[in-house]
């Protein structure tokens, strides 16, 4: 599995600048499959919208959703969870621009904090804005 952190950071920076300029929302969903070695890309790719970008970062998946607010990201998480039909324990974190931060590093740090929290919670946990 190739770590795509740099690619995510570059595209997230670009999308943040576009979102700021055109006053559009942006969300980043991070996903970790628990207790399995399944590749996040192969698991989630069939359920992605054509406009979403999936990256493999530090052993989990990061899905960049342009023009998507937190509610839209939560709806996508519902699709991902339904696709697995409870067979795979996925844990999720959501960060959104502008509510959660305005820089790449702010959003990625908050996403990691939320994903860490989701990993301590029950099966299928989703951690979004406090």
């Amino acid at each position: 599995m190739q770590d795509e952190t740099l690619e995510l950071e570059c595209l997230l920076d670009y999308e943040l600048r576009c979102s700021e300029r055109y006053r559009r929302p942006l969300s980043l969903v991070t996903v970790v499959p628990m207790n399995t070695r399944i590749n996040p890309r192969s698991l989630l790719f069939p359920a992605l919208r054509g406009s979403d970008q999936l990256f493999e970062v530090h052993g989990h998946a990061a899905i960049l959703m342009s023009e998507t607010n937190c509610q839209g990201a939560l709806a996508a998480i519902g699709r991902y969870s339904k696709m697995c039909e409870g067979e795979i324990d996925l844990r999720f974190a959501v960060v959104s621009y502008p509510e959660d931060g305005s820089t790449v590093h702010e959003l990625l740090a908050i996403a990691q904090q939320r994903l860490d929290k989701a990993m301590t919670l029950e099966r299928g946990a989703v951690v979004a804005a406090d």
Side-chain angles (χ1 to χ4, degrees), residues 98-112:
E99 296 82 11
D100 294 317
S102 59
T103 70
V104 169
H105 297 292
E106 285 176 333
L107 291 177
L108 291 177
I110 293 169
Q112 187 60 56

Side-chain angles (χ1 to χ4, degrees), residues 16 19 44 56 79 87 91 94 118-119 125:
L16 279 170
S19 292
L44 297 170
E56 293 177 35
R79 287 195 315 272
E87 293 180 26
R91 310 288 174 96
V94 180
M119 291 170 64

Side-chain angles (χ1 to χ4, degrees), residues 4-71:
E4 300 171 323
T5 302
L6 183 58
E7 292 93 338
L8 170 62
E9 289 175 356
C10 290
L11 187 56
L12 180 56
D13 180 60
Y14 172 78
E15 290 290 345
L16 279 170
R17 287 183 280 128
C18 290
S19 292
E20 180 180 28
R21 173 152 170 56
Y22 298 108
R23 295 187 173 103
R24 295 185 295 209
L26 170 75
S27 290
L28 180 70
V29 173
T30 51
V31 186
V32 65
M34 301 294 288
N35 303 322
T36 183
R37 290 182 132 345
I38 194 162
N39 181 306
R41 182 177 301 279
S42 63
L43 177 67
L44 297 170
F45 191 77
L48 293 180
R49 301 177 304 181
S51 60
D52 296 339
Q53 294 292 317
L54 186 138
F55 300 88
E56 293 177 35
V57 180
H58 306 300
H60 64 270
I63 304 165
L64 183 56
M65 301 176 168
S66 59
E67 298 189 37
T68 304
N69 62 16
C70 185
Q71 294 299 64

